[in-house]
Amino acid sequence: MSTILQDNPVYRFAGFELQPDERRLTREGNPVALTPKVFDTLLLLVERAGHVVSKDELMAALWPGRFVTEANLTKHIWFLRKALGESEEGGRYIETVSKTGYRFVAPVTRIARVPVSIPVAPNSSHPVAGVDSQPDSVRDDSPGVAASVEKPRRWPRHAGVATTAVILVGAVAWLWLRAPGLREKQFAPADIAGDSVAIVEFNNLSRNPKDAWIGPATEELLGTDVSLGGRLHPVPGELVRAARIGLPAPGAGGYAPETIARLHQQLVTTYVVSGSYLAYGTGDDPPVRLDLAVQDARSGATIATLSRTGKVAELPALITIAGAELRKDLGAGQQSPDESKLAANAQPPNAEVMRHMGFALEALHRYDPARARDELLQAIAQAPDYAPAYADLAKAWSALGYKDKALAAAGRAAAHSADLPEFMRLEIAAQRYQAQFDWPRAIDSLRKLVALQRGDPEATFELIDVLLAAGKPDAAASALADLRKLGQPVSGDARVELAAARIATAHDDAKAERAHAARALQLAVARGAPGLTADAELELGVALSNDDQTRAGQMFDRALDDYRRLGNPSGEAAVRRDIGNLYLEKDPQRAGKEYQHSLALYQSIGDQNGIASVYNDLAIVLWTSGDRDGSVTAVRNALQIRRMTGDIAGQAWALAALAVELSDETASDDVIENFRQAANLDATIGAHGHRGFTLYSLSDILRLRGALTDARAMCADAQAEYAKVSDPVVHLAADFECAQISLDRGDLAGAEAGLRRARDAAVQSGEMMMVGNADLTLGQIRMGKGEWAPAASYIESAIREYGSAELTTGEAVALSLDALCDAALGKTRERDNAAARARELRSRINERQEVIQADIALAELQGETGQREQAIEQLRNIADDARKRQWQNWALEADLASARVLAAGGETTRANALRTSIAATARKLGFGWVLQRLQRT
């Protein structure tokens, strides 16, 4: 093991800790949200603590090469002071030096030169101790499910994919052009298909931040020039950058043998291209020198080196020349005239556009899509027909969560892509179709890309993700099988197992998901790939969440540490969310803190989509803790952001969630409209699973209002939507709802048949809440027929099922009905015990609509124990309140219970009058089951 000293300073002052490499500021261990520019402002001041930093120097460093007014700097200083907790005038941390600049005045401790042990061959630094190769857990992407009586607590699944897993090092998957492919001269073209090339980040020898754009821009342009032909495949830049962490800088002839060996092991790449650049002199167009080295990663031998010098303005041409010479040295042959023309069209039209593109790529590498967006807009202003700038802008907008703007930029990229190389045109087309949720054409474009780039696994990885997003897990599994046939290029690649885990999730195969995630972790550790290790730890943590929360928490903690070391705030934020989900039920306070950490991280990088997702999570925490108003506010915040960003799936989720929350107060027109809007949005993007949820939830509201015909039609539509989804579990709630509607209409035979089918399916899938719901409703049917002993048997089964699943609301309702059965059977002691337990559980529940059945039953029990007037008064109040909330179903149930109490007490006249009123309403609305029971009262 070799030890390399890295100058990764940490600055501490007044309870704060500033970690430049991880782009993190914490106070007493808690993250402080800063925008990227405000973070850079703080870093510049802290690095020069005790000294004045002039306004000109700050503006030049923060906005290199751009004209901005002093007001921009003043605004950022104001934001910084606010984040640090000092007054607008400052003084405690930042001192204003009149007409000059600013000085950081708080005492700063700098911890530098941290020794980092880097093994040449990865060892057990990330052991996979305790990870089974045959897991059997169940993954749950939902944010949490509360108890339910007649239906599941209607919280929809999060919109989007991957609300829980980060694929690869993720945030820099926005890069559009990939690393180049190079050909070694002694191989014929037929021999080199499947070989890979890793282009390693170029070193900025001057260390001047104003030149930071040259490296990423050079990598992109050189890659475009030398990789045409599709006979080599590039290693994705995000994997290369993760592998490069901790490596010493290469020399003029490339890397030392032990370093090349490590890169070869981590990336399984055939060739490595490394280099450096030096811009020297003054003025706007200084000279620049490029040095390149190409090495055989298998042997460490240097295949070719070259050095070229020119002016910064000449960089596009200089890189083209360098690429041509490399092709010649490596025996790759010269480009055809057509290839040269297409490659030239992919080049920036001038060095100024190239500079903005380079800064944009450098910002994306640092997880700063907001800065990338600004740079790309500048590039487009100077070159409005340059398709690559629009393509990268689409990805920056998407990373920030702005779906409409991403779609518009992708459309502009496609409109200007006709004269680009074919693989770029296909990439842009796929990007555009994905933004439009046009899955068939996105899939078609990617299949063509796979065929074009023979032996390149990257296009197939993207195809698998799109097939999963399109709800085609079988096709994704077929694509993965084809990918495995490539052999060496993907042998030992953890991403293959991660893709298999995602496919297993889509197939609801928890055991396979866990096995593939564990295997992915083993492969990532064996290769010493830190980014993939973190991704696999996160994936495995999610897979373990339901069955082994202790080990799941351990995986999440490890993923958190790894994402921190990588400086990946997006990955860290995702882990925080999953930790919150892990603790949602057993420790809501801990869950809330994790969500707040995640929110701060997403805010620090400007990820609006992430911010909205955390608001979804916080809504669940607030709801379960009893803060209904806070929960509604959180969902409204999420909806506002989703509308601002144009996220259709996110809007549908938020609208449905808002309707769910409001429906616990009323079955109003607003609730129905929210559900209808959500369903319409789902239809535009083909979100069949969420649309099924929305439609059956809407059918339940229509049922409560007494619109049974509309409710039945809507529930059938929900079943049709679920039929398009492969998950065998999701349709259970709709099947149960449709059976409930049949029961309300008086179709007992149809209702019982539907309930038994739903129960059998729920038993097979282990959905105990649904088993409990079916047993409870079957028991109520027996109660309505006066078959008290069979009714009690069904209801007692429901009590056990709810209890085992810790569903408090369901248990409270079942116990209250069980007490009524005991009363009818003359079991006084059992009646009182069940009633007491039901009341105790009812006192903990803050829901209204879901638990009203328990309120009705407990009130009726008062009549059974001689408190008839109190029971009738309470039941009248429940019925009146239900009518105000447009819960016609529950109003009739309360009136029917009151009629039973009156009849049992011998008050025939009052009972008959109430029965007449009930009958009129039930006939008008079509509640046949109420009429059938009314005849027995």
Side-chain angles (χ1 to χ4, degrees), residues 161 173 394-395 398 403 406-407 410-411 426-447 449 458-459 461-470 646 648 684-685:
V161 187
K395 291 162 188 175
S398 181
K403 304 301 183 182
L407 174 58
L426 290 170
E427 286 274 11
I428 289 175
Q431 178 191 44
R432 179 190 182 190
Y433 295 139
Q434 288 180 64
Q436 292 174 323
F437 299 96
D438 187 344
W439 303 120
R441 286 198 281 183
I443 292 167
D444 181 63
S445 296
L446 289 171
R447 290 194 189 281
L449 188 63
E458 305 311 321
F461 279 124
E462 185 176 358
L463 174 62
I464 290 169
D465 284 341
V466 171
L467 287 168
L468 288 174
I648 296 175
T684 65
I685 59 175

Side-chain angles (χ1 to χ4, degrees), residues 31-47:
V32 178
L34 299 177
T35 64
K37 278 282 192 289
V38 174
F39 183 94
D40 291 338
T41 305
L42 174 61
L43 180 57
L44 287 166
L45 292 173
V46 168
E47 286 178 333

Side-chain angles (χ1 to χ4, degrees), residues 450-721:
V450 170
L452 178 67
Q453 296 181 306
R454 182 172 58 91
D456 181 355
E458 305 311 321
T460 307
F461 279 124
E462 185 176 358
L463 174 62
I464 290 169
D465 284 341
V466 171
L467 287 168
L468 288 174
K472 298 179 179 295
D474 291 338
S478 178
L480 181 62
D482 291 339
L483 182 64
R484 292 185 187 273
K485 294 175 184 177
L486 291 178
Q488 180 59 33
V490 296
S491 177
D493 191 333
R495 293 177 299 160
V496 174
E497 295 300 326
L498 285 171
R502 297 196 299 277
I503 292 170
T505 301
H507 279 133
D508 196 39
D509 188 344
K511 184 176 181 179
E513 178 203 0
R514 187 165 155 183
H516 287 302
R519 178 60 177 157
L521 180 54
Q522 291 168 346
L523 293 174
V525 170
R527 282 195 178 178
L532 286 176
T533 297
D535 295 338
E537 287 164 344
L538 177 57
E539 184 77 23
L540 183 55
V542 172
L544 291 165
S545 292
N546 278 358
D547 289 349
D548 194 338
Q549 295 192 348
T550 299
R551 288 168 65 199
Q554 292 170 352
M555 284 296 133
F556 288 146
D557 289 342
R558 283 168 53 174
L560 198 63
D561 290 340
D562 284 339
Y563 282 129
R564 282 173 175 171
R565 278 192 288 269
L566 288 166
N568 183 348
S570 181
E572 184 181 347
V575 178
R576 291 285 189 185
R577 285 190 63 204
D578 279 319
I579 294 175
N581 293 340
L582 186 67
Y583 286 96
L584 181 61
E585 292 186 7
K586 65 180 180 181
D587 190 351
Q589 187 175 6
R590 166 78 185 272
K593 288 182 178 179
E594 294 294 341
Y595 292 146
Q596 289 168 12
H597 277 298
S598 181
L599 182 63
L601 287 163
Y602 281 129
Q603 288 172 334
S604 72
I605 58 178
D607 185 347
Q608 298 298 319
N609 190 48
I611 293 169
S613 296
V614 178
Y615 275 128
N616 296 342
D617 297 327
L618 288 170
I620 307 284
V621 170
L622 292 166
W623 181 270
T624 55
S625 66
D627 188 351
R628 308 163 72 86
D629 292 338
S631 181
V632 169
T633 299
V635 172
R636 291 189 189 279
N637 287 346
L639 179 60
Q640 182 180 11
I641 293 172
R642 303 294 194 185
R643 284 173 169 163
M644 176 184 69
T645 61
D647 185 339
I648 296 175
Q651 289 177 58
W653 193 98
L655 282 165
L658 185 60
V660 165
E661 292 182 319
L662 296 179
S663 69
D664 197 53
E665 294 281 346
T666 175
S668 67
D669 292 344
D670 287 343
V671 169
I672 291 175
E673 180 59 24
N674 281 341
F675 275 131
R676 290 192 187 280
Q677 287 184 29
N680 291 338
L681 289 170
D682 285 330
T684 65
I685 59 175
H688 302 298
H690 189 264
R691 191 164 193 264
F693 158 81
T694 301
L695 291 175
Y696 96 71
S697 299
L698 175 55
S699 72
D700 189 61
I701 297 303
L702 293 171
R703 180 179 70 85
L704 292 178
R705 281 171 62 120
L708 294 181
T709 301
D710 290 343
R712 182 172 61 174
M714 198 66 62
C715 198
D717 289 344
Q719 288 178 312
E721 288 296 307

